[in-house]
Every structure is written in C-alpha cells, then in structure tokens.
Amino acid sequence: MFKINENYLKLPGSYLFSTIGKKVNAYKEANPDKEIISLGIGDVTQPLAPAIIDSLHKAVDEMAARETFHGYAPDLGYEFLRSAIAKNDYAARGADIAIDEIFVSDGAKCDSGNIQEIFSINNKIAVCDPVYPVYVDTNAMAGRTGIYNKETELWSDVIYMPCKAENGFAPELPEETPDIIYLCFPNNPTGATIKKPQLQEWVDYANKTGAVIIYDAAYEAYISEEDVPHTIYECEGAKTCAIELNSFSKNAGFTGTRLGYAVVPKALKDSDGNSLNALWARRHGTKFNGAPYIIQRAGEAVYSEEGKKQTKEQIAYYMNNAGIIKEGLKEAGFTVSGGVNAPYIWLTAPDGMTSWEFFDYLLANANVVGTPGSGFGPSGEGYFRLTAFGTYENTIEALKRIKEL
Ligand code: MLT
C-alpha cells in the first residue's frame, strides 16, 4: 500500500487564504443580502493596461499562423523578455545582471516555494515573523522545519526573526546562524521597508557567514521613498549571496495571467563551490516547460514606454487607496503602519482583540474582509492587514463602514 509524504501531515491547518475564503463563503451563505468588500488577499482589481492587452492580441494572432506560431517556450524564458528585465529592472538601477542569470517562471509564488529544493535538507532557514506563509510551508513539506508546536505555532528547526512595532517591523540579525535567509521588502504582510544600509548589513552578514538570502522583491514597484532599494543587487556583494524573486502580479496586474522571474547569479556558489545558477537551470529545465509565449510578450509590453506609463498609473491608483485606508484608520483611532512603499496597511486590532476575533468582528459588523496578522506567524497576533488592491469605490465604502463601527 502506498504511503504519502509524512511531512504534509505535519502542516498546521489549511493555507491562510483558503481558510479566509471558507469563512467568507460561509458568512455569505448565511447572509445573502450583505454586500461584502474584500480587502483581504492581495489580488488586483484593475484590468490589464492597454499596452499589455495590445501585445496579448498581437501574440494571439501570431499563434494563428504557421510562420509565427510558437510551441514550447525556452524553459528559461524568451530572450526578448529576459533582456527587457535585465535592462529595466537591473541595469537601470546600476545592477549588472546578465540574461543567463534570469529565469522566467509562471510567478513568484511558485518560485518562492520551489527554490528550497536545491538546498540541503539539513540547511536551517530563518524567516521574518510575520511571514508570507509559502516560505515556511514549502520548507515544512520538504521536511526541513522540524516539529510544529501547536501552542506556540512555531517550528522547532526554523529561526524566527520577530518584526514588531518595537523594531520598526525590520528583522534583526539572528543569534543562531542560518543557512538560508528569507527576506521580503517591501514586506508582505507588514508593508514595512528597510533602507539600503540596512539591506547592505544583511548582504555583508550572509557573505561573512556563508548563508544565502532569498530576496522576494514582488512589491518593489510600490516603493515611493528614496534610499529604499528596489533590488538586493543594489548592494555590494549581493551576487555572491543572494537570489532574487520578482513577479508581474503586483506591478502590472498579472495575478490571473501569471508571470514572474528568479535571478540566480553565476557568482553564487555553495560551500563546495557548486553553482546555484547551473542547478536552478537544471531544475527549471526538468520541471518546467516555460511560461506561455503570449504571456511573455505581455510581460515585455510592461517595459515599453506606454506600458511603463500605464502601469505606473495603476500603482498610483492603488497607492491612493493605501493613503485613504491609512488616513481613514488613523481618524478612526487605529494604530497603523505600512502603506507608504507597499500596498499593505498593517493595523493593530482594537480593544485587545486577537487577529481572528477582529477578522470575525469586521466581517460581521462592517462586511469587510481583511487578513488576520496571526495567519502570517505568531508575531502577527493582534495585528491585521488590509490591502490597497481594491477598487477606489470599495475602498471608500469600506473605510466609511469601519469609521461607523
Ligand atoms: C497576499 O495576499 O499575501 C498575496 O496576494 C498572496 C500571493 O501573492 O500569493
């Protein structure tokens, strides 16, 4: 009789956003007349920009003619997209990333879950707490996280770096030395950022200790302040210690279209001198047949002059929502942070409520859905996340309801 991978049995509960979805559906069923506003999962609401739609149409037409039809994409991505990424996301920021260090994928969620495969099972991971759940769960699936303690909600073999108001939601260098460090800035869920000198400290630390940083830059397009790095490769020495993940979901609305990429520099080697770039290429080639041609052309259009202008307008639209949420919450007496360089607003649940108590309260009394901070880790307890990715009208209405509570 077959047996399953027992690591899966150790996973606590269901995936955060599935749990929220179930709770909201149950509430909707019991209250069919209520108009629910979702500011929970960070899913975009604006349609794809016209320049992206034009390129999609054109690419679809190409697929209709034998001369321009495309079958399997190159498994590392088309050169037209990889060179647009190298030029716009790196060279323009003073970072020298070669095309063959860029691996196009179907999104940063898969990359952030899959990347752990190329590391030893004995490697120890360090994560921010609260944390995007995918990092920990996928390491747990691989059997790298030890035993889960239901009471503390901590894994025995994970180094947690608490990010709370007291430290400006920025992780401190851990006492125990990790092998793999997950960092995400601008941060999901807190919306916090770190400045370049702080990120440089992490890069220096990783180079000194022989750790690798997995840097999730999915929200970099939302950075509005100076001196907040858009890529870890703005830091000196990052190419010998860091992998970067990025996504087209948040900067250009590809949540339903799916496109992302990972940067694995050739200079990045493990302690025996093995190249991670070669290993990731081997893994990518074996398990992935490339993101669709049509979607990669759409990704290329994000970097066209029109595409840049239009996606910038969308980001401004969402950041206007962020301002509305932040100011509205402040007026209503909430303690809030984030929302300046990120589309997430992180608030303290009022009256000593737990994160899930506030979730239920908000759903029942304002018919607004948010994300409980404790779903991202124990240091998220007592906090709550609202996203700026809703429509302007829903954001205004949600804040009106919250203020009336
Ligand atoms: C979130 O809400 O945290 C994100 O949208 C989830 C994701 O990007 O997978």
Short mmCIF file of all heavy atoms in Angstrom, two decimals, residues 93-132:
data_model
loop_
_atom_site.label_atom_id
_atom_site.label_comp_id
_atom_site.label_asym_id
_atom_site.label_seq_id
_atom_site.Cartn_x
_atom_site.Cartn_y
_atom_site.Cartn_z
N ARG A 93 19.17 50.31 -12.61
CA ARG A 93 19.38 50.58 -11.17
C ARG A 93 20.83 50.35 -10.76
O ARG A 93 21.15 50.18 -9.58
CB ARG A 93 18.46 49.69 -10.35
CG ARG A 93 17.04 50.15 -10.50
CD ARG A 93 16.04 49.17 -10.00
NE ARG A 93 14.70 49.72 -10.20
CZ ARG A 93 13.61 48.99 -10.35
NH1 ARG A 93 13.71 47.68 -10.35
NH2 ARG A 93 12.45 49.56 -10.51
N GLY A 94 21.67 50.28 -11.78
CA GLY A 94 23.09 50.13 -11.52
C GLY A 94 23.49 48.71 -11.16
O GLY A 94 24.60 48.47 -10.67
N ALA A 95 22.61 47.74 -11.38
CA ALA A 95 22.94 46.35 -11.05
C ALA A 95 23.22 45.59 -12.35
O ALA A 95 22.42 45.64 -13.29
CB ALA A 95 21.79 45.70 -10.31
N ASP A 96 24.35 44.92 -12.39
CA ASP A 96 24.78 44.25 -13.61
C ASP A 96 24.35 42.77 -13.55
O ASP A 96 25.05 41.93 -13.01
CB ASP A 96 26.31 44.38 -13.68
CG ASP A 96 26.87 43.66 -14.88
OD1 ASP A 96 26.12 43.45 -15.85
OD2 ASP A 96 28.07 43.27 -14.83
N ILE A 97 23.16 42.50 -14.10
CA ILE A 97 22.64 41.13 -14.10
C ILE A 97 22.59 40.66 -15.56
O ILE A 97 22.00 41.32 -16.42
CB ILE A 97 21.24 41.06 -13.44
CG1 ILE A 97 21.31 41.44 -11.95
CG2 ILE A 97 20.58 39.70 -13.65
CD1 ILE A 97 22.09 40.49 -11.05
N ALA A 98 23.22 39.51 -15.82
CA ALA A 98 23.26 39.00 -17.20
C ALA A 98 21.97 38.25 -17.52
O ALA A 98 21.29 37.75 -16.61
CB ALA A 98 24.46 38.08 -17.36
N ILE A 99 21.69 38.16 -18.82
CA ILE A 99 20.45 37.49 -19.24
C ILE A 99 20.40 36.05 -18.74
O ILE A 99 19.35 35.56 -18.33
CB ILE A 99 20.35 37.56 -20.79
CG1 ILE A 99 20.04 39.00 -21.19
CG2 ILE A 99 19.27 36.63 -21.32
CD1 ILE A 99 19.96 39.23 -22.66
N ASP A 100 21.56 35.38 -18.74
CA ASP A 100 21.52 33.97 -18.32
C ASP A 100 21.52 33.80 -16.79
O ASP A 100 21.67 32.69 -16.28
CB ASP A 100 22.65 33.16 -18.97
CG ASP A 100 24.01 33.73 -18.68
OD1 ASP A 100 24.10 34.74 -17.94
OD2 ASP A 100 25.00 33.15 -19.18
N GLU A 101 21.32 34.91 -16.09
CA GLU A 101 21.09 34.82 -14.64
C GLU A 101 19.61 35.02 -14.31
O GLU A 101 19.22 34.98 -13.17
CB GLU A 101 21.95 35.88 -13.92
CG GLU A 101 23.44 35.59 -14.08
CD GLU A 101 24.35 36.65 -13.49
OE1 GLU A 101 24.15 37.85 -13.78
OE2 GLU A 101 25.27 36.28 -12.75
N ILE A 102 18.80 35.20 -15.38
CA ILE A 102 17.36 35.45 -15.20
C ILE A 102 16.57 34.24 -15.68
O ILE A 102 16.77 33.77 -16.81
CB ILE A 102 16.94 36.71 -15.99
CG1 ILE A 102 17.67 37.94 -15.39
CG2 ILE A 102 15.43 36.91 -15.95
CD1 ILE A 102 17.58 39.19 -16.25
N PHE A 103 15.68 33.75 -14.83
CA PHE A 103 14.87 32.56 -15.14
C PHE A 103 13.40 32.95 -15.09
O PHE A 103 12.86 33.21 -14.01
CB PHE A 103 15.13 31.46 -14.10
CG PHE A 103 16.54 30.98 -14.05
CD1 PHE A 103 17.54 31.73 -13.46
CD2 PHE A 103 16.88 29.74 -14.58
CE1 PHE A 103 18.84 31.29 -13.40
CE2 PHE A 103 18.19 29.28 -14.54
CZ PHE A 103 19.17 30.06 -13.95
N VAL A 104 12.75 32.97 -16.25
CA VAL A 104 11.33 33.37 -16.30
C VAL A 104 10.47 32.19 -15.82
O VAL A 104 10.74 31.03 -16.13
CB VAL A 104 10.95 33.79 -17.74
CG1 VAL A 104 9.46 34.07 -17.85
CG2 VAL A 104 11.77 35.03 -18.14
N SER A 105 9.43 32.53 -15.07
CA SER A 105 8.57 31.49 -14.50
C SER A 105 7.11 31.91 -14.58
O SER A 105 6.79 32.97 -15.11
CB SER A 105 8.94 31.27 -13.03
OG SER A 105 8.50 32.39 -12.28
N ASP A 106 6.24 31.09 -13.99
CA ASP A 106 4.83 31.45 -14.00
C ASP A 106 4.42 32.18 -12.73
O ASP A 106 3.26 32.21 -12.37
CB ASP A 106 3.94 30.21 -14.23
CG ASP A 106 4.13 29.18 -13.15
OD1 ASP A 106 4.98 29.39 -12.26
OD2 ASP A 106 3.41 28.16 -13.16
N GLY A 107 5.37 32.76 -12.03
CA GLY A 107 5.02 33.60 -10.89
C GLY A 107 5.94 33.40 -9.70
O GLY A 107 6.57 32.35 -9.56
N ALA A 108 5.98 34.42 -8.84
CA ALA A 108 6.90 34.37 -7.70
C ALA A 108 6.43 33.41 -6.61
O ALA A 108 7.24 32.96 -5.80
CB ALA A 108 7.09 35.77 -7.13
N LYS A 109 5.14 33.10 -6.58
CA LYS A 109 4.68 32.15 -5.55
C LYS A 109 5.33 30.79 -5.78
O LYS A 109 5.86 30.18 -4.84
CB LYS A 109 3.16 32.02 -5.57
CG LYS A 109 2.64 31.08 -4.48
CD LYS A 109 1.14 31.14 -4.35
CE LYS A 109 0.66 30.30 -3.19
NZ LYS A 109 -0.76 30.42 -2.96
N CYS A 110 5.28 30.31 -7.04
CA CYS A 110 5.91 29.02 -7.35
C CYS A 110 7.40 29.09 -7.10
O CYS A 110 7.97 28.18 -6.48
CB CYS A 110 5.64 28.62 -8.79
SG CYS A 110 3.94 28.20 -9.08
N ASP A 111 8.04 30.16 -7.56
CA ASP A 111 9.49 30.25 -7.36
C ASP A 111 9.85 30.26 -5.87
O ASP A 111 10.78 29.59 -5.45
CB ASP A 111 10.04 31.53 -8.02
CG ASP A 111 10.21 31.37 -9.53
OD1 ASP A 111 10.21 30.23 -10.02
OD2 ASP A 111 10.33 32.40 -10.22
N SER A 112 9.07 31.01 -5.08
CA SER A 112 9.43 31.09 -3.66
C SER A 112 9.18 29.76 -2.96
O SER A 112 9.84 29.45 -1.97
CB SER A 112 8.71 32.25 -2.96
OG SER A 112 7.32 32.06 -3.01
N GLY A 113 8.25 28.98 -3.48
CA GLY A 113 8.02 27.65 -2.91
C GLY A 113 9.02 26.62 -3.42
O GLY A 113 9.44 25.73 -2.67
N ASN A 114 9.42 26.76 -4.67
CA ASN A 114 10.27 25.73 -5.28
C ASN A 114 11.76 25.88 -5.00
O ASN A 114 12.50 24.90 -4.99
CB ASN A 114 10.08 25.73 -6.81
CG ASN A 114 8.70 25.27 -7.22
OD1 ASN A 114 8.07 24.47 -6.53
ND2 ASN A 114 8.21 25.75 -8.36
N ILE A 115 12.19 27.11 -4.76
CA ILE A 115 13.63 27.37 -4.71
C ILE A 115 14.33 26.54 -3.62
O ILE A 115 15.49 26.16 -3.76
CB ILE A 115 13.91 28.89 -4.55
CG1 ILE A 115 15.35 29.24 -4.89
CG2 ILE A 115 13.54 29.42 -3.17
CD1 ILE A 115 15.65 29.30 -6.35
N GLN A 116 13.60 26.24 -2.54
CA GLN A 116 14.21 25.48 -1.44
C GLN A 116 14.69 24.08 -1.87
O GLN A 116 15.52 23.49 -1.21
CB GLN A 116 13.28 25.40 -0.23
CG GLN A 116 11.84 24.98 -0.49
CD GLN A 116 11.66 23.51 -0.77
OE1 GLN A 116 12.45 22.69 -0.32
NE2 GLN A 116 10.64 23.18 -1.54
N GLU A 117 14.15 23.59 -2.99
CA GLU A 117 14.51 22.24 -3.45
C GLU A 117 16.00 22.06 -3.70
O GLU A 117 16.51 20.94 -3.62
CB GLU A 117 13.81 21.95 -4.78
CG GLU A 117 12.36 21.61 -4.67
CD GLU A 117 11.79 21.34 -6.05
OE1 GLU A 117 12.52 20.84 -6.94
OE2 GLU A 117 10.63 21.66 -6.26
N ILE A 118 16.69 23.16 -4.06
CA ILE A 118 18.09 22.99 -4.45
C ILE A 118 19.05 23.09 -3.24
O ILE A 118 20.25 23.06 -3.42
CB ILE A 118 18.51 23.97 -5.57
CG1 ILE A 118 18.34 25.43 -5.15
CG2 ILE A 118 17.76 23.68 -6.86
CD1 ILE A 118 18.96 26.43 -6.14
N PHE A 119 18.46 23.19 -2.05
CA PHE A 119 19.32 23.27 -0.86
C PHE A 119 19.23 21.98 -0.04
O PHE A 119 18.21 21.27 -0.09
CB PHE A 119 18.91 24.47 0.01
CG PHE A 119 19.10 25.77 -0.71
CD1 PHE A 119 18.02 26.43 -1.30
CD2 PHE A 119 20.36 26.32 -0.85
CE1 PHE A 119 18.20 27.62 -1.99
CE2 PHE A 119 20.56 27.51 -1.55
CZ PHE A 119 19.47 28.15 -2.12
N SER A 120 20.28 21.76 0.73
CA SER A 120 20.34 20.55 1.55
C SER A 120 19.19 20.54 2.56
O SER A 120 18.81 21.59 3.10
CB SER A 120 21.67 20.53 2.31
OG SER A 120 21.56 19.66 3.42
N ILE A 121 18.70 19.37 2.82
CA ILE A 121 17.62 19.21 3.78
C ILE A 121 18.09 19.61 5.19
O ILE A 121 17.30 19.95 6.06
CB ILE A 121 17.07 17.75 3.73
CG1 ILE A 121 15.67 17.67 4.32
CG2 ILE A 121 17.99 16.76 4.37
CD1 ILE A 121 14.64 18.30 3.46
N ASN A 122 19.40 19.58 5.39
CA ASN A 122 19.94 19.94 6.71
C ASN A 122 20.14 21.44 6.90
O ASN A 122 20.55 21.89 7.97
CB ASN A 122 21.29 19.24 6.94
CG ASN A 122 21.11 17.73 6.92
OD1 ASN A 122 20.13 17.22 7.46
ND2 ASN A 122 22.02 17.03 6.26
N ASN A 123 19.90 22.20 5.86
CA ASN A 123 20.06 23.65 6.00
C ASN A 123 18.97 24.22 6.89
O ASN A 123 17.82 23.77 6.87
CB ASN A 123 19.98 24.33 4.62
CG ASN A 123 21.29 24.25 3.87
OD1 ASN A 123 21.38 24.66 2.72
ND2 ASN A 123 22.31 23.71 4.50
N LYS A 124 19.36 25.22 7.65
CA LYS A 124 18.41 25.85 8.57
C LYS A 124 17.90 27.16 7.96
O LYS A 124 18.70 27.97 7.49
CB LYS A 124 19.12 26.12 9.89
CG LYS A 124 18.20 26.49 10.99
CD LYS A 124 18.66 25.86 12.30
CE LYS A 124 17.56 25.86 13.31
NZ LYS A 124 17.91 25.17 14.52
N ILE A 125 16.59 27.34 8.00
CA ILE A 125 16.05 28.58 7.43
C ILE A 125 15.75 29.62 8.52
O ILE A 125 15.41 29.25 9.64
CB ILE A 125 14.79 28.35 6.56
CG1 ILE A 125 13.59 27.86 7.41
CG2 ILE A 125 15.06 27.36 5.44
CD1 ILE A 125 12.24 28.01 6.71
N ALA A 126 15.88 30.88 8.14
CA ALA A 126 15.47 31.98 9.01
C ALA A 126 14.41 32.78 8.26
O ALA A 126 14.57 33.04 7.06
CB ALA A 126 16.65 32.89 9.34
N VAL A 127 13.34 33.09 8.95
CA VAL A 127 12.27 33.88 8.32
C VAL A 127 11.86 35.02 9.23
O VAL A 127 11.98 34.94 10.45
CB VAL A 127 11.00 33.02 8.02
CG1 VAL A 127 11.28 31.95 6.99
CG2 VAL A 127 10.41 32.41 9.29
N CYS A 128 11.34 36.08 8.60
CA CYS A 128 10.72 37.15 9.38
C CYS A 128 9.44 36.58 9.98
O CYS A 128 8.82 35.69 9.41
CB CYS A 128 10.37 38.32 8.47
SG CYS A 128 11.81 39.15 7.80
N ASP A 129 9.05 37.10 11.10
CA ASP A 129 7.78 36.71 11.71
C ASP A 129 7.04 37.99 12.07
O ASP A 129 7.53 38.72 12.94
CB ASP A 129 8.05 35.86 12.96
CG ASP A 129 6.79 35.55 13.75
OD1 ASP A 129 5.70 35.58 13.13
OD2 ASP A 129 6.87 35.30 14.96
N PRO A 130 5.93 38.32 11.39
CA PRO A 130 5.13 37.56 10.44
C PRO A 130 5.82 37.37 9.08
O PRO A 130 6.73 38.12 8.73
CB PRO A 130 3.88 38.41 10.29
CG PRO A 130 4.32 39.81 10.61
CD PRO A 130 5.36 39.67 11.67
N VAL A 131 5.32 36.36 8.34
CA VAL A 131 5.97 35.95 7.10
C VAL A 131 4.93 35.49 6.08
O VAL A 131 3.88 34.96 6.47
CB VAL A 131 6.99 34.82 7.40
CG1 VAL A 131 6.30 33.57 7.94
CG2 VAL A 131 7.83 34.47 6.19
N TYR A 132 5.23 35.70 4.81
CA TYR A 132 4.40 35.13 3.73
C TYR A 132 4.44 33.60 3.92
O TYR A 132 5.53 33.01 3.90
CB TYR A 132 5.03 35.55 2.39
CG TYR A 132 4.34 35.07 1.14
CD1 TYR A 132 2.97 35.16 0.97
CD2 TYR A 132 5.09 34.55 0.08
CE1 TYR A 132 2.35 34.74 -0.20
CE2 TYR A 132 4.49 34.14 -1.10
CZ TYR A 132 3.12 34.23 -1.23
OH TYR A 132 2.52 33.81 -2.39
#
